[in-house]
């Protein structure tokens, strides 16, 4: 990763997603190469909120900050949430604190496991994120 690309990723979650490697059918691929148009639409709808949260855009009260994504199993809900959280924590200009709620202990680990897979497939992220079973912390002080 070069510095110019990292700066572009910081301010544009779409660029981050294009270059981010994920696992699809047990094979590492760039998310941008496999993202379906409906996924792109859903993710773009939240980009302004993630960018504001990370401190790269000024607060706008009109920005949509909540989403309910109902999809079948295996349609990217956890991965997409993990990508958004990873982007915000990696590029935050200030410490962030977030909470992910789940129905049970096993389900509560889904998000941290998804972030962990992203970090394993994108080694440069390991320099700024530390993933544990129930906590993800970032160099900016985010957790």
């Amino acid at each position: 990763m070069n510095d110019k690309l990292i700066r572009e990723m910081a301010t544009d979650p779409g660029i981050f997603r294009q270059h981010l490697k994920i696992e699809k059918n047990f094979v590492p691929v760039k998310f941008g190469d496999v993202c379906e148009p409906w996924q792109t639409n859903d993710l773009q709808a939240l980009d302004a909120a993630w960018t504001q949260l990370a401190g790269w855009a000024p607060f706008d009260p009109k920005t949509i900050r909540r989403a309910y994504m109902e999809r079948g199993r295996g349609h990217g809900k956890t991965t997409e949430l993990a990508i958004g959280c990873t982007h915000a924590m990696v590029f935050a200009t200030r410490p962030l604190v977030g909470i992910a709620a789940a129905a049970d202990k096993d389900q509560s680990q889904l998000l941290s496991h998804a972030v962990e897979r992203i970090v394993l497939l994108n080694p440069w992220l390991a320099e700024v994120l530390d993933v544990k079973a129930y906590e993800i912390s970032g160099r900016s002080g985010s957790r």
Side-chain angles (χ1 to χ4, degrees):
M1 288 289 144
N2 64 55
D3 289 343
K4 181 179 186 276
L5 180 56
I6 290 173
R7 281 191 302 276
E8 290 173 357
M9 287 187 205
T11 59
D12 187 338
I15 294 173
F16 177 72
R17 289 190 300 268
Q18 286 175 357
H19 294 277
L20 192 71
K21 289 182 184 171
I22 63 160
E23 195 174 72
K24 181 170 178 147
N25 301 322
F26 307 104
V27 177
V29 295
K30 284 188 177 181
F31 184 72
D33 293 343
V34 296
C35 187
E36 297 289 338
W38 54 268
Q39 288 176 296
T40 300
N41 291 339
D42 286 351
L43 291 164
Q44 286 175 341
L46 294 170
D47 281 351
W50 285 116
T51 305
Q52 288 176 28
L53 175 69
W56 287 97
F59 175 76
D60 181 351
K62 296 175 186 166
T63 298
I64 297 169
R65 287 181 178 66
R66 292 177 181 82
Y68 176 78
M69 295 184 192
E70 185 171 349
R71 299 185 194 150
R73 185 180 178 109
H75 282 81
K77 297 179 302 286
T78 303
T79 299
E80 291 169 20
L81 180 59
I83 290 170
C85 291
T86 299
H87 179 268
M89 292 185 71
V90 167
F91 296 114
T93 61
R94 58 187 171 81
L96 305 175
V97 176
I99 297 172
D104 58 46
K105 193 172 184 177
D106 289 336
Q107 190 180 37
S108 70
Q109 290 185 312
L110 292 176
L111 181 60
S112 61
H113 286 171
V115 172
E116 182 177 42
R117 282 192 305 277
I118 289 170
V119 171
L120 289 172
L121 293 168
N122 301 273
W124 65 277
L125 294 173
E127 297 173 19
V128 290
L129 284 183
D130 182 28
V131 183
K132 294 183 175 72
Y134 298 101
E135 182 178 332
I136 304 163
S137 54
R139 183 175 58 191
S140 68
S142 299
R143 55 188 173 86

